[in-house]
Short mmCIF file of all heavy atoms in Angstrom, two decimals:
data_model
loop_
_atom_site.label_atom_id
_atom_site.label_comp_id
_atom_site.label_asym_id
_atom_site.label_seq_id
_atom_site.Cartn_x
_atom_site.Cartn_y
_atom_site.Cartn_z
N SER A 77 -10.92 0.14 18.59
CA SER A 77 -9.89 -0.18 19.59
C SER A 77 -10.06 -1.58 20.15
O SER A 77 -10.05 -1.81 21.36
CB SER A 77 -9.91 0.84 20.75
OG SER A 77 -9.47 2.09 20.29
N GLU A 78 -10.25 -2.53 19.23
CA GLU A 78 -10.31 -3.97 19.54
C GLU A 78 -11.55 -4.38 20.32
O GLU A 78 -11.65 -5.52 20.79
CB GLU A 78 -9.05 -4.41 20.31
CG GLU A 78 -7.75 -4.16 19.55
CD GLU A 78 -6.51 -4.54 20.33
OE1 GLU A 78 -6.33 -5.75 20.57
OE2 GLU A 78 -5.73 -3.64 20.72
N THR A 79 -12.52 -3.47 20.46
CA THR A 79 -13.75 -3.77 21.20
C THR A 79 -14.96 -3.60 20.29
O THR A 79 -15.01 -2.65 19.50
CB THR A 79 -13.90 -2.82 22.40
OG1 THR A 79 -12.76 -2.99 23.26
CG2 THR A 79 -15.16 -3.13 23.20
N GLN A 80 -15.92 -4.49 20.43
CA GLN A 80 -17.14 -4.33 19.64
C GLN A 80 -17.95 -3.18 20.23
O GLN A 80 -18.36 -3.22 21.38
CB GLN A 80 -17.96 -5.63 19.67
CG GLN A 80 -19.12 -5.62 18.70
CD GLN A 80 -19.89 -6.94 18.73
OE1 GLN A 80 -20.78 -7.13 19.55
NE2 GLN A 80 -19.53 -7.85 17.84
N ARG A 81 -18.23 -2.18 19.40
CA ARG A 81 -18.90 -0.99 19.89
C ARG A 81 -20.38 -0.97 19.51
O ARG A 81 -21.19 -0.36 20.19
CB ARG A 81 -18.17 0.25 19.36
CG ARG A 81 -18.68 1.56 19.90
CD ARG A 81 -17.67 2.68 19.72
NE ARG A 81 -17.41 3.05 18.35
CZ ARG A 81 -16.71 4.13 17.99
NH1 ARG A 81 -16.21 4.93 18.91
NH2 ARG A 81 -16.50 4.39 16.70
N ASN A 82 -20.72 -1.60 18.40
CA ASN A 82 -22.11 -1.69 17.96
C ASN A 82 -22.35 -3.06 17.35
O ASN A 82 -21.42 -3.66 16.79
CB ASN A 82 -22.41 -0.64 16.87
CG ASN A 82 -22.73 0.73 17.44
OD1 ASN A 82 -23.78 0.94 18.02
ND2 ASN A 82 -21.80 1.65 17.30
N LYS A 83 -23.58 -3.50 17.44
CA LYS A 83 -23.91 -4.82 16.90
C LYS A 83 -25.27 -4.75 16.23
O LYS A 83 -26.21 -4.14 16.74
CB LYS A 83 -23.94 -5.86 18.02
CG LYS A 83 -24.07 -7.28 17.56
CD LYS A 83 -24.01 -8.22 18.75
CE LYS A 83 -23.99 -9.69 18.33
NZ LYS A 83 -25.02 -10.06 17.38
N GLY A 84 -25.37 -5.39 15.06
CA GLY A 84 -26.65 -5.47 14.37
C GLY A 84 -27.43 -6.70 14.80
O GLY A 84 -27.07 -7.37 15.77
N ASN A 85 -28.49 -6.99 14.07
CA ASN A 85 -29.38 -8.10 14.42
C ASN A 85 -29.08 -9.35 13.62
O ASN A 85 -29.89 -9.78 12.80
CB ASN A 85 -30.84 -7.69 14.23
CG ASN A 85 -31.23 -6.56 15.15
OD1 ASN A 85 -30.81 -6.50 16.29
ND2 ASN A 85 -32.01 -5.63 14.63
N PHE A 86 -27.95 -9.92 13.83
CA PHE A 86 -27.56 -11.14 13.15
C PHE A 86 -27.34 -12.23 14.20
O PHE A 86 -26.99 -11.96 15.35
CB PHE A 86 -26.27 -10.91 12.35
CG PHE A 86 -26.51 -10.28 11.00
CD1 PHE A 86 -26.71 -8.92 10.88
CD2 PHE A 86 -26.56 -11.07 9.86
CE1 PHE A 86 -26.96 -8.34 9.65
CE2 PHE A 86 -26.79 -10.49 8.61
CZ PHE A 86 -26.99 -9.13 8.52
N PRO A 87 -27.53 -13.49 13.78
CA PRO A 87 -27.33 -14.59 14.75
C PRO A 87 -25.88 -14.70 15.19
O PRO A 87 -24.97 -14.16 14.55
CB PRO A 87 -27.77 -15.83 13.96
CG PRO A 87 -27.72 -15.44 12.53
CD PRO A 87 -27.99 -13.98 12.47
N GLY A 88 -25.68 -15.45 16.26
CA GLY A 88 -24.36 -15.60 16.84
C GLY A 88 -23.35 -16.30 15.93
O GLY A 88 -22.15 -16.28 16.23
N ARG A 89 -23.84 -16.88 14.82
CA ARG A 89 -22.90 -17.52 13.88
C ARG A 89 -21.97 -16.47 13.24
O ARG A 89 -20.91 -16.81 12.73
CB ARG A 89 -23.68 -18.22 12.75
CG ARG A 89 -24.61 -19.30 13.20
CD ARG A 89 -25.23 -20.03 12.00
NE ARG A 89 -26.07 -19.15 11.16
CZ ARG A 89 -25.71 -18.72 9.96
NH1 ARG A 89 -24.53 -19.04 9.44
NH2 ARG A 89 -26.54 -17.96 9.26
N PHE A 90 -22.40 -15.25 13.29
CA PHE A 90 -21.59 -14.15 12.75
C PHE A 90 -20.80 -13.51 13.89
O PHE A 90 -21.38 -13.07 14.90
CB PHE A 90 -22.49 -13.09 12.09
CG PHE A 90 -23.18 -13.56 10.86
CD1 PHE A 90 -24.35 -14.31 10.93
CD2 PHE A 90 -22.66 -13.26 9.60
CE1 PHE A 90 -24.98 -14.76 9.78
CE2 PHE A 90 -23.28 -13.69 8.45
CZ PHE A 90 -24.45 -14.45 8.54
N SER A 91 -19.51 -13.49 13.75
CA SER A 91 -18.68 -12.90 14.80
C SER A 91 -17.53 -12.13 14.15
O SER A 91 -17.25 -12.29 12.95
CB SER A 91 -18.13 -13.98 15.73
OG SER A 91 -17.31 -14.88 15.01
N GLY A 92 -16.88 -11.33 14.94
CA GLY A 92 -15.76 -10.57 14.41
C GLY A 92 -14.75 -10.29 15.49
O GLY A 92 -14.94 -10.62 16.67
N ARG A 93 -13.65 -9.72 15.03
CA ARG A 93 -12.66 -9.25 15.99
C ARG A 93 -11.79 -8.20 15.32
O ARG A 93 -11.77 -8.09 14.09
CB ARG A 93 -11.81 -10.41 16.50
CG ARG A 93 -11.03 -11.17 15.45
CD ARG A 93 -10.19 -12.25 16.10
NE ARG A 93 -9.51 -13.09 15.12
CZ ARG A 93 -8.53 -13.94 15.43
NH1 ARG A 93 -8.13 -14.06 16.69
NH2 ARG A 93 -7.96 -14.67 14.50
N GLN A 94 -11.08 -7.48 16.14
CA GLN A 94 -10.18 -6.45 15.62
C GLN A 94 -8.84 -6.59 16.34
O GLN A 94 -8.79 -6.83 17.55
CB GLN A 94 -10.75 -5.06 15.84
CG GLN A 94 -9.92 -3.95 15.19
CD GLN A 94 -10.50 -2.57 15.42
OE1 GLN A 94 -11.06 -2.29 16.47
NE2 GLN A 94 -10.35 -1.70 14.44
N PHE A 95 -7.79 -6.41 15.59
CA PHE A 95 -6.45 -6.57 16.12
C PHE A 95 -5.88 -5.20 16.51
O PHE A 95 -6.44 -4.15 16.18
CB PHE A 95 -5.56 -7.27 15.11
CG PHE A 95 -6.09 -8.62 14.70
CD1 PHE A 95 -6.87 -8.76 13.57
CD2 PHE A 95 -5.83 -9.74 15.46
CE1 PHE A 95 -7.39 -10.01 13.19
CE2 PHE A 95 -6.32 -10.98 15.11
CZ PHE A 95 -7.11 -11.11 13.97
N SER A 96 -4.74 -5.23 17.16
CA SER A 96 -4.15 -3.98 17.67
C SER A 96 -3.75 -3.03 16.53
O SER A 96 -3.64 -1.82 16.73
CB SER A 96 -2.94 -4.28 18.56
OG SER A 96 -1.98 -5.03 17.85
N ASN A 97 -3.56 -3.56 15.33
CA ASN A 97 -3.22 -2.69 14.19
C ASN A 97 -4.47 -2.22 13.44
O ASN A 97 -4.37 -1.71 12.34
CB ASN A 97 -2.25 -3.40 13.24
CG ASN A 97 -2.86 -4.66 12.64
OD1 ASN A 97 -3.99 -5.03 12.98
ND2 ASN A 97 -2.13 -5.32 11.77
N SER A 98 -5.63 -2.45 14.03
CA SER A 98 -6.95 -2.07 13.51
C SER A 98 -7.48 -3.00 12.42
O SER A 98 -8.64 -2.86 12.04
CB SER A 98 -7.00 -0.62 13.01
OG SER A 98 -6.83 0.26 14.09
N ARG A 99 -6.68 -3.90 11.93
CA ARG A 99 -7.19 -4.88 10.97
C ARG A 99 -8.31 -5.69 11.63
O ARG A 99 -8.30 -5.91 12.85
CB ARG A 99 -6.08 -5.80 10.51
CG ARG A 99 -6.44 -6.69 9.32
CD ARG A 99 -5.23 -7.51 8.86
NE ARG A 99 -4.87 -8.56 9.83
CZ ARG A 99 -5.43 -9.75 9.89
NH1 ARG A 99 -6.42 -10.07 9.06
NH2 ARG A 99 -5.04 -10.65 10.78
N SER A 100 -9.26 -6.09 10.81
CA SER A 100 -10.42 -6.80 11.38
C SER A 100 -10.70 -8.06 10.58
O SER A 100 -10.40 -8.16 9.38
CB SER A 100 -11.65 -5.89 11.37
OG SER A 100 -12.80 -6.55 11.85
N GLU A 101 -11.28 -9.02 11.24
CA GLU A 101 -11.76 -10.23 10.59
C GLU A 101 -13.20 -10.48 11.02
O GLU A 101 -13.59 -10.13 12.13
CB GLU A 101 -10.92 -11.45 11.01
CG GLU A 101 -9.52 -11.47 10.45
CD GLU A 101 -8.75 -12.71 10.89
OE1 GLU A 101 -9.20 -13.39 11.83
OE2 GLU A 101 -7.68 -12.98 10.31
N MET A 102 -13.95 -11.05 10.11
CA MET A 102 -15.27 -11.54 10.51
C MET A 102 -15.36 -13.02 10.15
O MET A 102 -14.76 -13.48 9.17
CB MET A 102 -16.42 -10.76 9.89
CG MET A 102 -16.60 -10.90 8.41
SD MET A 102 -18.27 -10.36 7.91
CE MET A 102 -19.25 -11.79 8.35
N ASN A 103 -16.06 -13.73 10.98
CA ASN A 103 -16.18 -15.17 10.83
C ASN A 103 -17.65 -15.55 10.77
O ASN A 103 -18.47 -15.00 11.51
CB ASN A 103 -15.51 -15.87 12.01
CG ASN A 103 -15.51 -17.37 11.88
OD1 ASN A 103 -16.49 -18.02 12.20
ND2 ASN A 103 -14.43 -17.92 11.36
N VAL A 104 -17.96 -16.46 9.86
CA VAL A 104 -19.31 -17.01 9.82
C VAL A 104 -19.18 -18.51 9.96
O VAL A 104 -18.49 -19.16 9.16
CB VAL A 104 -20.05 -16.68 8.51
CG1 VAL A 104 -21.52 -17.11 8.61
CG2 VAL A 104 -19.95 -15.19 8.18
N SER A 105 -19.82 -19.06 10.96
CA SER A 105 -19.75 -20.50 11.18
C SER A 105 -21.02 -21.16 10.66
O SER A 105 -22.05 -20.50 10.47
CB SER A 105 -19.57 -20.80 12.67
OG SER A 105 -20.69 -20.33 13.40
N THR A 106 -20.93 -22.45 10.43
CA THR A 106 -22.08 -23.24 9.96
C THR A 106 -22.85 -22.50 8.87
O THR A 106 -24.01 -22.12 9.03
CB THR A 106 -23.02 -23.57 11.14
OG1 THR A 106 -22.27 -23.91 12.30
CG2 THR A 106 -23.92 -24.75 10.77
N LEU A 107 -22.19 -22.32 7.76
CA LEU A 107 -22.76 -21.53 6.67
C LEU A 107 -24.09 -22.08 6.18
O LEU A 107 -24.29 -23.29 6.10
CB LEU A 107 -21.77 -21.47 5.51
CG LEU A 107 -20.59 -20.52 5.69
CD1 LEU A 107 -19.52 -20.81 4.65
CD2 LEU A 107 -21.05 -19.08 5.62
N GLU A 108 -24.98 -21.14 5.85
CA GLU A 108 -26.28 -21.46 5.26
C GLU A 108 -26.34 -20.82 3.87
O GLU A 108 -25.61 -19.87 3.57
CB GLU A 108 -27.40 -20.92 6.14
CG GLU A 108 -27.39 -21.48 7.55
CD GLU A 108 -28.47 -20.87 8.44
OE1 GLU A 108 -29.22 -20.00 7.95
OE2 GLU A 108 -28.53 -21.26 9.62
N LEU A 109 -27.25 -21.36 3.03
CA LEU A 109 -27.39 -20.81 1.68
C LEU A 109 -27.67 -19.31 1.72
O LEU A 109 -27.18 -18.54 0.88
CB LEU A 109 -28.51 -21.53 0.92
CG LEU A 109 -28.28 -23.02 0.62
CD1 LEU A 109 -29.50 -23.59 -0.10
CD2 LEU A 109 -27.01 -23.22 -0.20
N GLY A 110 -28.45 -18.90 2.70
CA GLY A 110 -28.83 -17.49 2.82
C GLY A 110 -27.70 -16.56 3.21
O GLY A 110 -27.87 -15.34 3.21
N ASP A 111 -26.54 -17.12 3.52
CA ASP A 111 -25.38 -16.28 3.86
C ASP A 111 -24.66 -15.80 2.62
O ASP A 111 -23.74 -14.97 2.71
CB ASP A 111 -24.41 -17.06 4.75
CG ASP A 111 -25.00 -17.44 6.08
OD1 ASP A 111 -25.93 -16.73 6.56
OD2 ASP A 111 -24.57 -18.46 6.66
N SER A 112 -25.07 -16.30 1.46
CA SER A 112 -24.49 -15.82 0.21
C SER A 112 -24.76 -14.33 0.07
O SER A 112 -25.91 -13.89 0.11
CB SER A 112 -25.09 -16.56 -0.99
OG SER A 112 -24.72 -17.91 -0.97
N ALA A 113 -23.71 -13.56 -0.07
CA ALA A 113 -23.87 -12.11 -0.07
C ALA A 113 -22.54 -11.46 -0.40
O ALA A 113 -21.50 -12.12 -0.47
CB ALA A 113 -24.32 -11.63 1.31
N LEU A 114 -22.61 -10.14 -0.57
CA LEU A 114 -21.41 -9.32 -0.65
C LEU A 114 -21.18 -8.76 0.75
O LEU A 114 -22.07 -8.13 1.32
CB LEU A 114 -21.59 -8.19 -1.65
CG LEU A 114 -20.39 -7.25 -1.86
CD1 LEU A 114 -19.24 -8.00 -2.53
CD2 LEU A 114 -20.78 -6.04 -2.70
N TYR A 115 -20.01 -9.01 1.31
CA TYR A 115 -19.69 -8.52 2.64
C TYR A 115 -18.75 -7.33 2.51
O TYR A 115 -17.65 -7.45 1.96
CB TYR A 115 -19.09 -9.63 3.51
CG TYR A 115 -20.12 -10.66 3.86
CD1 TYR A 115 -20.35 -11.75 3.03
CD2 TYR A 115 -20.91 -10.51 5.00
CE1 TYR A 115 -21.33 -12.68 3.33
CE2 TYR A 115 -21.89 -11.43 5.31
CZ TYR A 115 -22.11 -12.51 4.47
OH TYR A 115 -23.09 -13.42 4.76
N LEU A 116 -19.22 -6.20 3.00
CA LEU A 116 -18.48 -4.94 2.86
C LEU A 116 -17.90 -4.53 4.20
O LEU A 116 -18.57 -4.61 5.23
CB LEU A 116 -19.40 -3.84 2.35
CG LEU A 116 -19.91 -4.00 0.93
CD1 LEU A 116 -21.10 -3.09 0.68
CD2 LEU A 116 -18.81 -3.69 -0.07
N CYS A 117 -16.68 -4.08 4.14
CA CYS A 117 -16.01 -3.55 5.31
C CYS A 117 -15.86 -2.04 5.10
O CYS A 117 -15.65 -1.58 3.97
CB CYS A 117 -14.64 -4.22 5.44
SG CYS A 117 -13.53 -3.44 6.59
N ALA A 118 -16.00 -1.29 6.17
CA ALA A 118 -15.84 0.17 6.09
C ALA A 118 -15.00 0.64 7.26
O ALA A 118 -15.14 0.13 8.38
CB ALA A 118 -17.20 0.86 6.12
N SER A 119 -14.14 1.60 7.00
CA SER A 119 -13.34 2.13 8.10
C SER A 119 -13.51 3.63 8.20
O SER A 119 -13.85 4.32 7.23
CB SER A 119 -11.86 1.77 7.92
OG SER A 119 -11.22 2.57 6.95
N LYS A 120 -13.27 4.16 9.39
CA LYS A 120 -13.27 5.60 9.60
C LYS A 120 -12.34 5.90 10.76
O LYS A 120 -11.92 4.99 11.49
CB LYS A 120 -14.67 6.13 9.87
CG LYS A 120 -15.33 5.57 11.11
CD LYS A 120 -16.73 6.15 11.23
CE LYS A 120 -17.44 5.59 12.43
NZ LYS A 120 -18.81 6.14 12.55
N VAL A 121 -12.08 7.19 10.94
CA VAL A 121 -11.12 7.56 11.98
C VAL A 121 -11.60 7.08 13.34
O VAL A 121 -10.92 6.31 14.02
CB VAL A 121 -10.87 9.08 11.97
CG1 VAL A 121 -9.94 9.47 13.11
CG2 VAL A 121 -10.27 9.52 10.64
N GLN A 122 -12.77 7.55 13.76
CA GLN A 122 -13.31 7.04 15.02
C GLN A 122 -14.75 7.45 15.29
O GLN A 122 -15.54 6.62 15.76
CB GLN A 122 -12.45 7.42 16.23
CG GLN A 122 -12.35 8.90 16.54
CD GLN A 122 -11.57 9.15 17.84
OE1 GLN A 122 -10.53 8.54 18.09
NE2 GLN A 122 -12.08 10.04 18.65
#
Side-chain angles (χ1 to χ4, degrees):
Chain A
S77 291
E78 301 178 67
T79 301
Q80 189 178 86
R81 185 161 67 170
N82 277 289
K83 189 177 186 310
N85 297 322
F86 277 81
R89 300 185 297 107
F90 293 82
S91 62
R93 60 177 175 167
Q94 186 180 35
F95 302 95
S96 57
N97 62 357
S98 294
R99 190 176 71 84
S100 177
E101 289 181 346
M102 68 162 281
N103 184 277
V104 188
S105 63
T106 319
L107 284 166
E108 301 177 359
L109 295 179
D111 297 333
S112 293
L114 181 67
Y115 290 89
L116 293 164
C117 167
S119 76
K120 61 182 178 180
V121 176
Q122 64 175 43

